[in-house]
Amino acid sequence: MTGAVRGAGGAAPFGAERDPARVVAFSDAVIAIAVTLLVLEIRPPDTGHLLHGLVTLWPSYLAYGITFLLIGQVWANHHVMFDHIRRADRMVLFLNTVLLMDIAFLPFAAAVLADAFRHGQGERVAVVLHGLTFEVAAVLFNLIWRHASRDRRLLVSTIDPAGVRAIGRRFRLALTWIATGTVLGALLPALGVVVIAAFIPYYWLPVRGENARRRPAGR
């Protein structure tokens, strides 16, 4: 891919479309930091009985595992999306920045979730906060993909319309699934966590059309 079109003096003009490689690299760095910060929220128990103390930290292990795998899904599907985005304009840069801001908030949401279940207080609020943080990420995925796929202006030529629709359906499903888990969490916190966690194995399945079509040789 080539870089942004350069204006006078070699500077890219305002609103220019750019190679998304730097967007992906920056996103990878932020996501890597976010998943690393998750484990820092698990503190050694300050009790004389170490085994018992470690066992009582189970909410932290649960919040860590669920959040890590969900962020992993964000990372994987971010790559699926940007594999098909040929150019990144100002709107893509802005929406992706907001997405990264949301992802950076997830270690805090996971810590709140773990603390609520460990102390048996505020579980509903904690599940809703955790779910809403992922729901915001799902909204931003949909906005980025909808903007990039509009008129196919920013997409590579190797993805067919069926692939565009398949990726869009997967992103819209995330909106409904996570929203359902969040609403249920406001009523029955444990059920909300189970529904959101059930999202993990399904969403790791490949998206039909996520692999670009190979062009026949000689064309």
Side-chain angles (χ1 to χ4, degrees):
M1 292 185 181
T2 58
V5 178
R6 298 288 172 178
F14 182 85
E17 296 172 4
R18 293 169 168 79
D19 186 330
R22 291 184 65 187
V23 178
V24 174
F26 179 52
S27 302
D28 285 350
V30 172
I31 293 171
I33 293 171
V35 295
T36 302
L37 290 176
L38 284 173
V39 75
L40 298 181
E41 295 298 332
I42 305 178
R43 308 294 174 82
D46 53 355
T47 177
H49 198 296
L50 181 58
L51 179 59
H52 178 266
L54 290 172
V55 171
T56 60
L57 290 176
W58 68 264
S60 295
Y61 308 144
L62 179 65
Y64 169 79
I66 292 175
T67 309
F68 194 108
L69 290 174
L70 286 171
I71 294 178
Q73 288 180 345
V74 169
W75 172 77
N77 284 282
H78 191 272
H79 274 280
V80 169
M81 181 166 62
F82 274 90
D83 282 347
H84 301 297
I85 295 178
R86 173 179 58 90
R87 313 292 288 171
D89 62 8
R90 285 272 174 170
M91 182 57 69
V92 171
L93 295 178
F94 170 72
L95 292 173
N96 193 75
T97 299
V98 179
L99 173 63
L100 297 179
M101 182 172 66
D102 180 71
I103 292 170
F105 185 77
L106 280 166
F108 172 75
V112 170
L113 183 68
D115 191 67
F117 275 90
R118 186 162 53 249
H119 294 98
Q121 295 181 342
E123 295 99 325
R124 289 182 175 84
V125 174
V127 174
V128 169
L129 175 66
H130 192 262
L132 281 178
T133 307
F134 277 106
E135 183 72 5
V136 170
V139 169
L140 289 163
F141 262 88
N142 278 272
L143 290 176
I144 294 171
W145 186 246
R146 183 176 299 178
H147 175 75
S149 61
R150 182 183 300 135
D151 301 326
R152 302 177 60 92
R153 182 174 58 88
L154 300 178
L155 297 185
V156 297
S157 61
T158 50
I159 184 171
D160 56 28
V164 174
R165 291 192 298 271
I167 293 174
R169 283 195 300 271
R170 176 66 69 89
F171 291 166
R172 290 192 297 273
L173 175 62
L175 284 173
T176 304
W177 197 317
I178 296 175
T180 300
T182 303
V183 171
L184 290 174
L187 303 172
L188 298 170
L191 180 60
V193 171
V194 169
V195 171
I196 293 174
F199 187 67
I200 294 170
Y202 175 80
Y203 220 64
W204 273 108
L205 296 174
V207 184
R208 182 180 178 184
E210 72 176 62
N211 294 320
R213 293 181 291 110
R214 292 181 179 273
R215 291 186 175 276
R219 292 190 183 180

